Structures are given as structure tokens and as C-alpha cells.
Amino acid sequence: MQLAAKTKTPSAPEPAQKGPIVRDVQCNPMDPSLRQTILSQMKPSLSSYDGYHERLETAYGRTAEIRKYTKTLTKASRSSTNLEKTAQTLSLPPLLSLKGADGTYAVKRQLGEGTFAPVYLVENSAAALVDGDVSDENRPPSRVGKATHRKHLEAVKMEDPPNAWEFYIIRQSHRRLGVSRAAESVVRAHEMHLFRDECFLVEEYRDQGTLLDLLNIARLESGNGGGLDEMTAMWLTVEMLRTVEALHSKQLIHGDLKGDNVLVRFDDPGTETDWSPTYFPSGAHGWASKGICLIDFGRGVDMKQFVPNVAFIADWKTTEADCAEMRELRPWTYQIDYHGLAGIVHSLLFGKYMEIIGEKAGTALGQGATRTYKIRESLKRYWQTEIWSEVFHLLLNPLAHLEGEEGRRMPVLRGMRQVRERMEGWLEDNGEKGIGLKGTIARMEAIIREKRRKSVKNM
Ligand SMILES: Nc1ncnc2c1ncn2[C@@H]1O[C@H](COP(=O)(O)OP(=O)(O)OP(=O)(O)O)[C@@H](O)[C@H]1O
Ligand SMILES: [Mg+2]
């Protein structure tokens, strides 16, 4: 394993990389050794990335302590009588002091359940100094930390085995997207501390839950066990389509799109802007402050590191959650995200996991495709069935939509934009009917806020 030297030499910029690192025409982009090759050979090297701290000679050894602490806390939070007793016996929260970090991180609780990649909520002492009050999760973020996006509460993801891939993909996403609307829909990665035995990815924390949580809330609210109302589902679909289209246009694939990898982003439009009840696709009048935020880039792919005609082959046992190409052992690239997106849209509409059926296609679809796929579920008659059919057709059969694309190749950027614009048009025309899109979003925001207020009180 080759790893670049850790010392930073800002005065002598590294030479830019010429062409892709991986020359194979066929490979599995998630293969750990292939990723390691990319990380060790790319230029500029990871060690030149702001916030990257590599100490592979050192073992950090904190996993057991952190787990024990958060497990005890979780158990105690289930019964309030236990909580007081636990508060007395529980050791102090684990403190992470990491060389190169501005302050220390105090572990508060576990956010994600993952065994191989637990995510923790932490208090950043550096931002806390700026903010003042350290105990209130509901307090608005500090103004001072705005430029750096650092906040008093942040998320720390520990990946096992330790690796910097996710950090790399998130940083590349922001670098390539620049200051743009899509960039607001991609989580920020502040730091990566890579040790021999453990690693700590410090991320922006969002406290409003995932799309999956939102669906569960909506289901409880409506009591009908289905999905969201059509208007909200369409609005969230637009948010997803815009973000994924932008990532793909920069040759980046998320690789694991599903409801629990998308955070809800209901920010405050700010005091100067009032949030208009009329929907503005441009994001004007407060609309840009509401949307989604993609997380979990651990299965991301940087297409810039592969030759243009690369064909990925899944070498794992596939399931219904994998795209048709993978299941049929046909080559794929961007399809992984289209399939993931289709699954999310399906769950937003129906409140359940997507099942697809394939029909023998009359004409050849290219790249070995012989079937046309559609969802098993039928769209409700009173929905915008034409629009939804178009979305699913595109996402489940992208190869049938290459006609209008540049060079007749993937990704299907034009197709994505067309369906999105169609949905945006519909939302512009209909967004104020009934309680309106703004009304629905505001109500969901209020429910989330109330839920959080209650749960914070119990912790
Ligand atoms: N930045 C964040 N802010 C708020 N919640 C987060 C954040 N990152 C992760 N989470 C929560 O933790 C969960 C797991 O995080 P993530 O998806 O990054 O890890 P993972 O690799 O999916 O872990 P696993 O699949 O093993 O649970 C998310 O579904 C979300 O609920
Ligand atoms: Mg996840």
C-alpha cells in the first residue's frame, strides 16, 4: 500500500493528475484495493486536502469505550426511571481530542445504528466557545461559524475498516459543484482523522431526520399507511432529481441512494426573505432553504478515475434492491443511482419498497438489455400519472432514453432535467391548491420540531 507523505507543502503545488488512474474496462468500483489505488495515486493527494489528518502509525483505540457509553445511554433512555440512575453511574462522555482539530469532540449519543459505520452526535468544543450555551440542541447555529460551516453540534462517522473514501467523495462533490444549489443538498465533510485502527469523519449535523423518518411521520399523521401526499412527493422528487443530475454531470455517482441516506433540510429562509406560498423552481423567495441533504457517500464512485468506456460488474450476491443490470450481470455505471432514485420515489408515493417487473421488449435496447421495466404497483388514477410514468420509465430504463443525450451516452442528464422541469411546472401551477405545498411543508416542520423537543427532553 502506497501512501503519500503527510507533510503539507503549500508553496509547491502538486502536479495535476493526467487522465484516469484505473485503466480496466471492467471492474467492481467498490473493491477496496481498487479504491486504495485511487486514493494513493491521485493528484493532488489526499494529504493536501484541508482537514485531512492521517496517522497510520498510531492506534487510537476508542471504539469500545464509545460503544459502551452510547449503548448504556440508549438503554437508559428507554425507561426514564433508569435514566436518573444511569446519569449518576455513567462515566463522563467520551472526549475525542484529535490532532489538527480545532477543539475536542464530546460524544453525546449515537445517531445511526450501523455496526460497521456507527454515526455519533458530538459537541464541538471550539464552536461551543463561540456559541456560548453548550447544552441546547435546538439553538440556532452560530453566526461566527457560518463561513466555515462549523457548528456546535456535529456528526462523527467511524468506518470499519478505517478508510478515507467517503471523505474523498464528499470533498470532490463540493469541489466540483462549487457554490451552487446542488451543493447545499450534499452533506459537508469537515475533517477526516485516519488512524491504523479507527477513523473519524467529522460531518455537518442535521437534526430533522431522514426521508424514511419523514415517511413514518406522515404515515402516523394520515393513518392510512400509504406514502406522502402527491404534491410533497413531487417536490421531494424534484429536489432529488436536481441534486443527482448535478452530481452525475460532474462524473460523481452516489451509489447508495435510499430513504435513510437522505436527510431532510428544512432551514430557516432567513429574516430578510419571506417564504412565498407560490412555488419558485429557481429557489427564489425562500424555496432554496427547503429541500434535502444527501449523506452516506461510502459507496460513491468517481467516474473521472475510470476510462470513458468502463463497465462495472457487481461481484456480490444481488437482491431486489439492486438495479436490473446488476441482477442480470450486465454492465452498469450511473444506473445504480437511477434505480436508487426510483426506489425513493416509489416509497414517497406508496409508502413501501419498490417491486419491479420486466417485460420482453420488442426492440433491442442496447448494451444487452432485452426487457423494459416498470413498477408492480399501479399509480392512483387521480395522480399525475403521465408524469410519474415518465419518471419511472426513465429511471428504470435509462438505456432506452439515450437518444437525446450528448454522445448518446449515459448519464441521462437531459432526460432527468426534462422530467424535473415538467414536475416544476406542475408545482408552479398547483402548489397553492388546498393547504398548499408551503402549508404541508410547514406542518411537517412543526411535527419534527415537536418530536425533537420531546426526545431531547428525555435524553
Ligand atoms: N450528518 C448527519 N446528520 C444527522 N444524522 C446523520 C448524519 N449522518 C448520519 N446520520 C444518521 O445515521 C444514519 C447512518 O449514517 P450513514 O448512512 O452515513 O451510515 P451507514 O454507512 O448507512 O451506516 P449503516 O448502514 O451501517 O447504518 C443515517 O441514516 C442517519 O439517520
Ligand atoms: Mg446509510
Side-chain angles (χ1 to χ4, degrees):
M1 188 166 70
Q2 270 188 321
L3 286 154
K6 194 176 105 217
T7 43
K8 289 179 187 166
T9 48
S11 50
E14 291 183 70
Q17 186 185 315
K18 286 193 197 77
I21 288 171
V22 186
R23 295 276 161 187
D24 309 61
V25 179
Q26 211 173 74
C27 57
N28 166 16
M30 282 139 202
D31 180 77
S33 65
L34 182 145
R35 287 176 163 186
Q36 195 48 51
T37 307
I38 295 174
L39 290 179
S40 59
Q41 293 180 15
M42 66 184 213
K43 292 200 180 73
S45 69
L46 210 49
S47 56
S48 70
Y49 284 40
D50 193 34
Y52 181 75
H53 306 281
E54 182 185 288
R55 286 161 70 196
L56 288 175
E57 70 292 350
T58 315
Y60 199 70
R62 300 293 293 279
T63 300
E65 178 200 348
I66 297 170
R67 289 219 160 174
K68 186 164 170 236
Y69 179 81
T70 54
K71 290 261 142 67
T72 318
L73 209 65
T74 313
K75 251 189 240 158
S77 69
R78 292 203 188 111
S79 83
S80 50
T81 45
N82 260 347
L83 192 58
E84 275 170 39
K85 215 161 77 193
T86 320
Q88 290 162 7
T89 51
L90 207 61
S91 51
L92 288 168
L95 260 194
L96 310 173
S97 32
L98 299 155
K99 223 189 214 157
D102 281 343
T104 53
Y105 301 111
V107 177
K108 273 179 83 83
R109 60 186 163 89
Q110 184 160 352
L111 294 170
E113 296 300 322
T115 328
F116 297 108
V119 182
Y120 301 102
L121 175 68
V122 300
E123 254 171 27
N124 178 351
S125 70
L129 281 178
V130 169
D131 290 358
D133 184 4
V134 284
S135 61
D136 183 5
E137 283 191 21
N138 291 317
R139 209 173 19 73
S142 101
R143 292 245 159 232
V144 186
K146 230 174 183 164
T148 57
H149 301 279
R150 299 308 299 260
K151 289 188 186 144
H152 159 63
L153 288 170
E154 296 182 324
V156 169
K157 181 167 179 176
M158 291 181 73
E159 217 141 342
D160 187 25
N163 72 88
W165 188 257
E166 183 164 4
F167 177 76
Y168 166 68
I169 294 287
I170 297 177
R171 277 300 177 83
Q172 280 302 322
S173 303
H174 277 282
R175 200 175 275 199
R176 294 182 203 176
L177 292 173
V179 179
S180 66
R181 196 141 168 234
E184 296 301 312
S185 295
V186 172
V187 73
R188 281 174 204 280
H190 302 307
E191 294 165 13
M192 175 72 200
H193 301 268
L194 185 64
F195 296 92
R196 193 171 68 217
D197 58 335
E198 292 171 353
C199 71
F200 302 88
L201 171 64
V202 185
E203 287 180 1
E204 155 197 13
Y205 166 64
R206 293 204 157 267
D207 64 3
Q208 292 162 323
T210 67
L211 274 193
L212 211 61
D213 299 329
L214 190 72
L215 265 171
N216 288 330
I217 290 174
R219 242 199 306 240
L220 279 178
E221 263 273 281
S222 69
N224 67 12
L228 300 175
D229 67 284
E230 186 185 19
M231 207 175 327
T232 318
M234 199 178 287
W235 173 67
L236 286 167
T237 304
V238 165
E239 291 297 311
M240 299 279 323
L241 285 170
R242 188 193 314 107
T243 311
V244 175
E245 181 196 325
L247 282 171
H248 287 185
S249 78
K250 303 291 180 191
Q251 293 180 273
L252 289 162
I253 295 176
H254 180 281
D256 200 7
L257 291 174
K258 52 181 182 179
D260 49 355
N261 288 339
V262 183
L263 298 179
V264 171
R265 178 172 58 85
F266 292 153
D267 285 344
D268 194 344
T271 40
E272 310 85 41
T273 325
D274 53 336
W275 179 22
S276 165
T278 310
Y279 177 69
F280 283 86
S282 66
H285 301 283
W287 284 92
S289 65
K290 315 287 174 187
I292 51 135
C293 179
L294 299 183
I295 56 166
D296 201 355
F297 284 74
R299 296 176 74 77
V301 182
D302 180 0
M303 292 297 281
K304 268 196 180 158
Q305 303 293 9
F306 297 89
V307 290
N309 59 335
V310 72
F312 298 138
I313 297 285
D315 61 3
W316 57 85
K317 196 175 178 311
T318 57
T319 67
E320 183 103 36
D322 291 310
C323 65
E325 283 80 0
M326 290 180 187
R327 278 178 290 130
E328 294 166 9
L329 288 177
R330 287 192 289 113
W332 53 274
T333 50
Y334 294 91
Q335 286 96 324
I336 190 172
D337 278 355
Y338 300 138
H339 188 84
L341 260 177
I344 295 179
V345 176
H346 189 280
S347 65
L348 294 176
L349 282 175
F350 299 103
K352 56 176 151 189
Y353 289 111
M354 179 175 71
E355 277 184 75
I356 56 174
I357 42 181
E359 280 166 0
K360 273 250 178 303
T363 53
L365 300 172
Q367 295 186 17
T370 53
R371 286 163 189 274
T372 313
Y373 287 95
K374 57 179 198 181
I375 55 170
R376 182 178 292 279
E377 209 68 36
S378 8
L379 298 164
K380 297 257 186 341
R381 262 182 303 124
Y382 53 87
W383 283 348
Q384 296 306 303
T385 50
E386 248 187 61
I387 295 184
W388 294 116
S389 307
E390 199 180 319
V391 175
F392 283 115
H393 197 280
L394 173 71
L395 296 176
L396 297 176
N397 306 281
L399 292 178
H401 292 262
L402 296 182
E403 204 76 1
E405 300 297 334
E406 211 184 297
R408 292 178 163 234
R409 296 170 58 92
M410 295 272 221
V412 287
L413 298 177
R414 204 169 288 174
M416 298 262 279
R417 204 185 60 224
Q418 273 166 8
V419 284
R420 171 167 56 85
E421 285 173 352
R422 203 168 163 194
M423 292 181 152
E424 287 171 342
W426 189 83
L427 289 172
E428 271 182 298
D429 294 343
N430 297 278
E432 284 169 90
K433 295 200 174 135
I435 68 162
L437 183 57
K438 178 182 171 177
T440 318
I441 296 174
R443 196 170 71 196
M444 292 189 300
E445 272 188 66
I447 298 171
I448 293 173
R449 205 177 308 124
E450 181 62 13
K451 243 185 77 149
R452 284 199 41 73
R453 202 180 54 78
K454 279 188 192 146
S455 74
V456 169
K457 228 178 10 200
N458 287 337
M459 291 288 297

